[in-house]
Amino acid sequence: MFYGTLCPNCGKPVMPYARFLRHAEPFKISQCSDCDVELQRKKSVWLLLIFGAVVLAALVGLGIPFTFERWGVVAASVFTFVVSGAAVVILNVCGWLFVGWDLVTPNNDESAIT
């Protein structure tokens, strides 16, 4: 069974995939399901997204002309839709399984205390 990446604070899985699918974004702060600490995605999530975009662009760029020439515009459209959907799902699952989390440090503004 897959559990996703672990919380750097408590060492337990940060969130189940269903919650990850709805809430986790590279620029959004999330909370650990177990210890409720605030977490943010590691910067490596951007590398995953860039790599995925390059691979998707190559697949679609090379596949559309071939599919269009062989089977026509409808098949090329279906090809683009299916490949794009599969790429999004694969990138999302890879992000959940392999890209970790960083603790969000609170802003320690000492001038606000005095």
Side-chain angles (χ1 to χ4, degrees):
M1 187 63 146
F2 298 113
Y3 295 107
T5 52
L6 303 178
C7 175
N9 189 49
C10 67
K12 297 194 174 154
V14 173
M15 62 182 72
Y17 183 70
R19 182 173 164 221
F20 178 85
L21 191 59
R22 292 186 313 260
H23 294 287
E25 296 176 18
F27 52 85
K28 188 176 177 186
I29 294 175
S30 300
Q31 289 186 328
C32 176
S33 296
D34 194 57
C35 65
D36 290 331
V37 71
E38 291 185 333
L39 302 168
Q40 191 170 19
R41 300 308 307 266
K42 287 190 179 231
K43 302 292 184 213
S44 59
V45 72
W46 295 108
L47 293 174
L48 176 69
L49 292 174
I50 290 168
F51 175 75
V54 168
V55 170
L56 177 61
L59 282 173
V60 170
L62 294 172
I64 285 178
F66 174 77
T67 309
F68 178 74
E69 184 178 311
R70 189 149 184 164
W71 294 293
V73 70
V74 174
S77 299
V78 170
F79 169 79
T80 303
F81 180 73
V82 169
V83 169
S84 298
V88 167
V89 170
I90 290 169
L91 283 175
N92 200 314
V93 170
C94 286
W96 177 65
L97 287 174
F98 303 118
V99 177
W101 299 84
D102 286 328
L103 291 169
V104 174
T105 55
N107 188 4
N108 294 331
D109 187 10
E110 295 194 19
S111 62
I113 297 172
T114 56

